[in-house]
């Protein structure tokens, strides 16, 4: 392969050994760009368009080097020159185009689509300031604009693309591309990111994410999920969504024609996966374009489009199932509103069940539109799909049982082992051979479940990962983690249903227990990470509780040597890549029935953490695979939870009154503790948990504490724990996103 030294000489006029990390980083990025420019796009008649409001990519350099087969060589050459790839990589800025699991899933899927050689591209928007960058100030979250677009970014192109007609004005879009390279492939796929000609970064100050939401012609692509707590914000989201799908639809039609479609056969040339409801307006937009610009009859256009779109549902939380007032859509695009009305009228004529109408009381139910006018609706884990079929979407399931299917989520092994845990990848190679890298099959490890050499090598891999994580936390935020600490991690968006507050209550319990003299055999480090939506007050309060507890415990000399609570600032893919390989315990403690799937659960398992969980989302499948003894489960079942909601019979106060629970909840507002933080936030959270507790943290708390204590006890049997680790890794192959994508293609897309 290329001598990096020669490259350095020609790019910078000096040898590799004399380059700064920044220079080496740009040089390698250029090398990747040059290699990928030479690859042809994956070809095939029928092409997939995966439209998503988010793509949470993470840094790209290492992943691209792995997929190009250059990683080992580049690493070795850098090392010979006294440089380290991981330090070079620190100069790379992580794109800020995503939010949480749904966005990371989209990124894993692109990697797998490319790796399987399938013709398919992602389509999204190029947000200039992403979601936001999280800072902690006075133990509270501060949201800052995340200005990730630098001089030497990963975007290619930027040509003017399409005209997007809004009601009162028309805008021009620009199209950027990020090449997506498959593992060991000679072709590439692409993430197409649309931006707005005339977007104005100066609308956003440096120190806040507030901006004039009405300046649509200048603000359209500034932020992912702009604040929607007022009408201007909600309207802006509709503008963004229409901008995204109009560009997508125009691109799809142009490319289909280029490949030989006469548009009457469009469904043979293109299939669209609608990632959650945000891109649903692609349905009426495709119909509009076929009608208005290609003279197709309405009925034929509807028929064609209904054969080429598929919808993935990612949540049963009502707040996330988008509903837009028709009046908003009318203000953004009267044509789209008119088409939605016609589509609704057809449904109203055929079905009288109010639950399946598209427009109800002047409000458009985006999911309903996608289900009626698509070929497929899928959930993202077996339990989630079952809940969709049997309760949330049961009225639709009765009409279209054949449209419903499950696609349990997956994660790409290129990033989540090879990239983030090279020593583990190496151990897997030496134990199993390297086939697992493409097959994802790790079950051969089970033959080594009692092999002391493998188990002790696994212990070394974990120790090594802990070392990298400790260095990261030290550099990132000055945190010193004891070398022999148990690492117990909950990383994910902050949300009441995910119940970070329940882990915080456990921490209070443990704190008091240690105060009472019950010192654990080794230090325990509990790590949180995650952002809270800026308009979601209780989630901000939960962050405040965690950070205040962290300070409180660090300041208590009786407890600090035994218990440490950390929260990673600005949790993102890069942080995940450091934390997940180091974790001993994976906290997946959502209220059963609420977490559609989860994907960090899969990443932790793959890296040898043992799961402590409720039987929710994909945890159920993990538990079935690894079997009792290799996972810790607790809490009310999803049936029980659904029953409590249906009856309205959950009474937080009756749990709160139990002395053991009251003590913990009231700790939040004890005068000494509250004096350290914001009384307003801590009181509000206290009252919410004690009086409402909508996601039933108190219901499961006592059992959670018991099981967690058992986990820590079992951790001390190091031999038995190593075996649990191994069994978890061995079964993680099921959750390779290559498997998920092969299923999407086999059941829904039929590409090629
Ligand atoms: N928050 C679900 O809650 C799931 C991902 C990806 C989510 C997770 O359980 O793993 O999607 N849903 O399928 C979502 O974003 C809008 O809904 C998530 O990321």
């Amino acid at each position: 392969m290329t001598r990096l030294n020669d490259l350095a000489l020609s790019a910078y006029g000096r040898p590799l050994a004399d380059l700064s990390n920044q220079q080496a980083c740009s040089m390698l990025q250029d090398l990747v760009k040059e290699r990928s420019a030479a690859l042809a796009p994956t070809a095939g008649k029928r092409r997939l368009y995966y439209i998503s409001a988010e793509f949470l990519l993470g840094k790209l350099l290492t992943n691209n080097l792995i997929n190009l087969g250059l990683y080992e060589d580049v690493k070795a050459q850098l090392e010979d020159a006294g440089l380290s790839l991981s330090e070079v990589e620190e100069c790379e800025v992580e794109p800020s185009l995503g939010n949480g699991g749904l966005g990371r899933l989209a990124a894993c899927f692109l990697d797998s689509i490319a790796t399987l050689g399938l013709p398919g591209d992602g389509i999204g928007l190029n947000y200039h300031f992403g979601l936001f960058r999280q800072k902690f100030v006075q133990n509270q979250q501060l949201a800052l604009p995340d200005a990730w677009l630098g001089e030497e970014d990963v975007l290619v192109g930027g040509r003017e693309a399409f005209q997007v007609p809004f009601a009162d004005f028309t805008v021009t879009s620009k199209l950027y591309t990020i090449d997506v390279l498959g593992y060991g492939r000679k072709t590439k796929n692409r993430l197409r990111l649309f931006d707005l000609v005339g977007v104005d970064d100066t609308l956003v100050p440096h120190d806040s994410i507030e901006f004039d939401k009405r300046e649509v012609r200048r603000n359209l692509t500034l932020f992912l999920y702009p604040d929607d707590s007022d009408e201007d914000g909600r309207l802006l989201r509709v503008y963004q969504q229409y901008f995204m799908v109009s560009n997508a639809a125009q691109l799809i039609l142009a490319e289909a024609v280029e490949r030989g479609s006469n548009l009457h056969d469009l469904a043979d040339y293109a299939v669209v996966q609608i990632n959650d409801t945000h891109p649903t307006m692609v349905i009426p937009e495709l119909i509009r374009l076929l009608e208005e610009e290609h003279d197709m009859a309405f009925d034929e256009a509807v028929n064609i489009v209904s054969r080429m779109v598929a919808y993935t549902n990612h949540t049963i939380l009502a707040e996330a199932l988008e509903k837009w007032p028709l009046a908003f859509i009318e203000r953004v695009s009267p044509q789209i509103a008119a088409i939605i009305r016609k589509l609704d009228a057809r449904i109203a004529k055929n079905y009288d069940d109010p639950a399946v109408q598209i427009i109800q009381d002047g409000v458009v139910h985006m999911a309903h539109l996608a289900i009626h006018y698509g070929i497929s609706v899928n959930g993202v884990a077996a339990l989630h799909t079952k809940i969709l079929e049997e309760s949330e979407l049961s009225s639709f399931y009765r009409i279209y049982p054949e449209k419903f299917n499950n696609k349990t989520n997956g994660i790409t092994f290129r990033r989540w082992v090879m990239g983030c845990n090279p020593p583990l990848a190496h151990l897997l190679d030496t134990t199993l051979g390297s086939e697992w890298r493409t097959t994802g099959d790790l079950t051969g490890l089970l033959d080594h479940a009692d092999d002391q050499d493998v188990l002790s090598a696994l212990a070394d891999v974990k120790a090594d990962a802990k070392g990298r994580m400790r260095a990261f936390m030290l550099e990132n935020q000055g945190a010193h983690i004891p070398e022999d600490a148990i690492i117990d991690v909950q990383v994910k968006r902050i949300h009441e249903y995910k119940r970070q507050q329940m882990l915080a209550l456990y921490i209070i319990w443990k704190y008091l227990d240690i105060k009472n003299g019950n010192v654990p055999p080794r230090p325990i480090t509990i790590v949180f990470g995650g952002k809270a939506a800026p308009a979601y007050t209780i989630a901000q309060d939960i962050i405040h509780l965690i950070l205040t507890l962290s300070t409180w415990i660090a300041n208590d000399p009786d407890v600090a040597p035994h218990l440490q609570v950390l929260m990673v600032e600005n949790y993102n893919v890069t942080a995940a890549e450091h934390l997940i390989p180091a974790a001993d315990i994976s906290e997946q403690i959502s209220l059963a029935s609420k977490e559609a799937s989860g994907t960090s659960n899969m990443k932790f398992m793959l890296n040898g953490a043992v799961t402590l969980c409720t039987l929710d989302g994909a945890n159920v499948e993990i538990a079935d695979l690894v079997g009792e003894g290799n996972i810790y489960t607790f809490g009310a079942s999803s049936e029980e939870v659904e029953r409590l909601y249906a009856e309205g019979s959950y009474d937080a106060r009756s749990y709160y009154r139990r002395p053991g629970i009251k003590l913990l909840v009231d700790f939040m507002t004890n005068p000494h503790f509250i004096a350290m933080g914001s009384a307003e936030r801590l009181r509000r959270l206290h009252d919410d948990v004690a009086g409402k507790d909508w996601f039933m943290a108190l219901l499961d708390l006592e059992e959670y504490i018991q099981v967690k204590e058992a986990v820590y006890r079992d951790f001390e049997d190091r031999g038995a724990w190593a075996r649990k680790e191994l069994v978890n890794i061995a079964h993680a192959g099921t959750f390779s996103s290559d498997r998920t994508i092969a299923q999407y293609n086999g059941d829904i897309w039929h590409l090629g």
Side-chain angles (χ1 to χ4, degrees):
M1 101 122 214
T2 327
R3 298 306 312 161
L4 295 182
N5 201 45
D6 298 342
L7 272 184
L9 285 168
S10 71
Y12 294 102
R14 54 178 110 137
L16 185 60
D18 293 353
L19 297 194
S20 65
N21 284 328
Q22 180 66 61
Q23 287 170 325
C25 183
S26 326
M27 186 184 88
L28 290 171
Q29 283 174 324
D30 288 344
L31 173 69
V32 167
K33 271 191 187 168
E34 191 190 301
R35 291 289 174 107
S36 62
L39 301 174
T42 315
K45 181 175 174 188
R46 187 167 157 99
R47 200 166 185 87
L48 162 74
Y49 296 89
Y50 193 91
I51 311 181
S52 177
E54 359 171 348
F55 290 91
L56 190 49
L57 297 172
K59 293 184 182 188
L60 294 164
L61 181 60
T62 294
N63 186 242
N64 283 334
L65 290 173
I66 289 173
N67 285 4
L68 285 167
L70 301 177
Y71 177 79
E72 296 296 341
D73 192 11
V74 163
K75 196 167 164 227
Q77 288 194 45
L78 289 175
E79 268 161 28
D80 287 347
L83 293 166
S84 113
L85 182 53
S86 58
E87 284 170 25
V88 166
E89 197 195 28
E90 276 174 34
C91 299
E92 191 187 351
V93 177
E94 172 173 335
S96 189
L97 297 170
N99 167 33
L102 171 156
R104 183 53 233 173
L105 184 77
C108 283
F109 279 6
L110 292 184
D111 186 271
S112 285
I113 291 165
T115 294
L116 296 183
L118 297 172
D121 294 329
I123 300 184
L125 295 180
N126 185 41
Y127 309 104
H128 290 218
F129 299 108
L131 184 70
F132 62 85
R133 190 161 60 78
Q134 180 191 56
K135 254 194 86 148
F136 296 144
V137 176
Q138 294 181 324
N139 285 341
Q140 309 203 32
Q141 168 178 291
L142 178 67
L144 295 171
D146 192 358
W148 67 279
L149 285 162
E151 303 264 297
E152 301 172 56
D153 51 55
V154 291
L155 302 176
V156 182
R159 66 170 166 89
E160 288 201 2
F162 303 112
Q163 303 286 307
V164 177
F166 292 120
D168 303 326
F169 53 92
T170 292
V171 297
T172 305
S173 67
K174 261 199 244 182
L175 173 56
Y176 291 98
T177 299
I178 295 180
D179 285 337
V180 180
L181 310 174
Y183 180 64
R185 281 276 164 179
K186 299 273 173 281
T187 52
K188 68 179 168 197
N189 296 44
R190 291 154 305 181
L191 171 56
R192 325 302 296 266
L193 295 170
F194 287 97
D195 204 339
L196 175 72
V197 171
V199 61
D200 184 359
D201 289 3
T202 66
L203 287 176
V204 180
H206 291 293
D207 56 355
S208 113
I209 55 170
E210 308 255 313
F211 65 100
D212 187 345
K213 291 184 212 147
R214 287 160 309 174
E215 285 283 341
V216 175
R217 266 180 270 197
R218 296 196 292 145
N219 70 17
L220 197 53
T221 51
L222 292 177
F223 285 100
L224 164 64
Y225 303 143
D227 168 41
D228 63 351
S229 57
D230 61 14
E231 185 170 318
D232 288 334
R234 286 195 287 278
L235 202 56
L236 176 55
R237 289 209 187 182
V238 179
Y239 272 108
Q240 273 193 335
Q241 293 185 357
Y242 181 58
F243 179 73
M244 174 169 77
V245 302
S246 178
N247 279 298
Q250 294 185 61
L251 182 76
I252 291 167
L253 295 184
E255 290 192 349
V257 169
E258 209 177 294
R259 289 203 307 285
S261 168
N262 60 19
L263 296 184
H264 299 283
D265 56 3
L266 180 63
D268 299 336
Y269 284 81
V271 55
V272 174
Q273 191 69 38
I274 298 179
N275 194 31
D276 215 64
T277 49
H278 318 107
T280 306
M281 280 188 288
V282 73
I283 294 171
E285 178 63 0
L286 279 166
I287 295 171
R288 181 188 76 84
L289 290 168
L290 290 172
E291 239 194 322
E292 283 183 12
E293 304 199 353
H294 300 279
D295 297 325
M296 201 179 275
F298 181 75
D299 287 349
E300 191 194 357
V302 173
N303 185 293
I304 290 173
V305 174
S306 312
R307 286 188 288 120
M308 59 180 277
V309 301
Y311 158 62
T312 303
N313 175 289
H314 291 270
T315 182
I316 60 162
L317 292 187
E319 73 207 37
L321 283 171
E322 288 183 303
K323 301 175 202 59
W324 295 119
L326 187 62
F328 280 24
I329 298 179
E330 190 89 50
R331 276 162 73 185
V332 172
S333 168
Q335 292 97 319
I336 292 302
I339 293 171
I340 292 176
R341 264 196 222 96
K342 281 164 97 175
L343 295 176
D344 171 64
R346 291 184 165 206
I347 300 304
K349 205 173 86 197
N350 292 330
Y351 307 101
D352 41 5
D353 182 353
V356 302
Q357 302 307 313
I358 295 174
I359 304 176
Q360 289 167 337
D361 301 325
V363 172
V364 184
H365 291 245
M366 306 311 277
H368 299 185
L369 179 57
I371 299 170
H372 285 298
Y373 292 95
I375 46 178
S376 157
V377 39
N378 76 280
V380 290
L383 174 65
H384 170 58
T385 301
K386 182 168 173 279
I387 292 173
L388 293 179
E389 292 175 351
E390 292 177 2
S391 50
E392 292 299 307
L393 299 176
S394 60
S395 305
F396 290 93
Y397 184 57
R398 273 195 292 277
I399 305 177
Y400 312 113
E402 74 290 350
K403 287 192 189 184
F404 282 71
N405 62 97
N406 178 55
K407 295 287 166 285
T408 298
N409 284 166
I411 57 173
T412 167
F413 283 22
R414 270 70 65 187
R415 184 172 293 269
W416 297 109
V417 199
M418 299 179 209
C420 73
N421 203 346
L424 177 56
H426 180 73
L427 175 62
L428 295 173
D429 282 345
T430 51
T431 316
L432 305 173
S434 59
E435 293 76 26
W436 65 272
R437 289 173 179 252
T438 43
T439 63
D441 184 357
L442 300 170
T443 49
L445 270 185
L446 294 172
D447 300 339
H448 302 270
D450 297 300
D451 177 338
Q452 290 315 309
D453 292 341
V454 172
L455 292 176
S456 94
L458 210 47
D460 292 345
V461 164
K462 189 56 86 181
D464 198 87
K466 286 188 179 183
R468 281 177 277 134
M469 182 262 207
R470 291 169 62 239
F472 175 79
M473 291 300 288
L474 184 61
E475 181 163 333
N476 217 38
Q477 52 201 83
H480 290 269
I481 300 175
E483 202 163 336
D484 58 339
I486 301 190
I487 306 294
D488 183 346
V489 187
Q490 186 180 25
V491 283
K492 46 187 81 260
R493 293 302 307 272
I494 310 298
H495 201 295
E496 289 163 278
Y497 86 80
K498 295 177 185 282
R499 299 198 296 190
Q500 282 94 354
Q501 70 276 28
M502 191 167 75
L503 177 48
L505 289 169
Y506 169 82
I507 289 168
I508 295 171
W509 181 88
K510 191 72 178 172
Y511 167 82
L512 296 172
D513 196 46
I514 296 173
K515 270 301 221 196
N516 284 333
N518 295 320
V519 167
R522 74 173 72 231
I524 298 168
T525 295
I526 298 179
V527 186
F528 292 89
K531 296 178 182 177
Y536 185 176
T537 307
I538 294 283
Q540 314 275 341
D541 297 344
I542 293 172
I543 291 183
H544 182 60
L545 172 63
I546 292 167
L547 292 173
T548 309
L549 276 173
S550 167
T551 314
W552 175 268
I553 291 170
N555 289 346
D556 186 325
D558 298 337
V559 180
H562 310 293
L563 179 63
Q564 178 182 41
V565 177
L566 297 173
M567 181 151 188
V568 190
E569 197 172 47
N570 198 40
Y571 177 67
N572 58 8
V573 179
T574 307
E577 287 165 0
H578 286 90
L579 293 177
I580 290 172
D584 297 305
I585 299 164
S586 160
E587 299 272 350
Q588 308 297 340
I589 59 177
S590 54
L591 175 63
S593 80
K594 295 296 173 191
E595 187 72 271
S597 160
T599 41
S600 78
N601 46 3
M602 302 167 184
K603 295 164 198 166
F604 280 108
M605 171 194 198
L606 177 58
N607 283 277
V610 176
T611 311
L612 166 54
C613 66
T614 51
L615 284 175
D616 200 12
N619 301 343
V620 176
E621 287 154 78
I622 295 176
D624 283 348
L625 284 164
V626 302
E628 222 170 293
N630 296 306
I631 188 164
Y632 295 83
T633 61
F634 71 96
S637 68
S638 84
E639 289 85 4
E640 215 171 319
V641 170
E642 296 214 319
R643 186 180 53 77
L644 287 172
Y645 278 120
E647 293 172 351
S649 58
Y650 176 65
D651 174 19
R653 289 216 83 80
S654 70
Y655 288 89
Y656 168 68
R657 275 189 231 109
R658 295 183 186 179
I661 293 187
K662 189 164 188 309
L663 179 74
L664 307 181
V665 177
D666 287 350
F667 188 90
M668 290 187 218
T669 48
N670 93 40
H672 300 290
F673 186 72
I674 215 167
M676 276 200 56
S678 150
E680 186 193 345
R681 286 200 182 282
L682 294 171
R683 277 215 184 90
R684 181 171 46 220
L685 182 58
H686 171 278
D687 295 352
D688 193 274
V689 172
K692 185 165 106 195
D693 191 26
W694 183 246
F695 293 102
M696 306 179 192
L698 301 188
L699 173 70
D700 289 341
L701 180 60
E702 286 168 345
E703 197 188 346
Y704 178 52
I705 293 172
Q706 267 174 25
V707 175
K708 218 162 145 54
E709 286 298 291
V711 175
Y712 289 158
R713 261 196 314 276
D714 289 358
F715 184 83
E716 295 310 321
D717 184 345
R718 301 305 297 132
W721 189 271
R723 197 176 189 285
K724 294 184 211 295
E725 261 187 62
L726 178 140
V727 171
N728 272 276
I729 301 171
H731 288 291
T734 301
F735 301 109
S736 161
S737 48
D738 296 348
R739 183 270 308 153
T740 315
I741 288 302
Q743 291 177 336
Y744 272 94
N745 189 40
D747 297 345
I748 307 170
W749 301 337
H750 312 296
L751 302 174

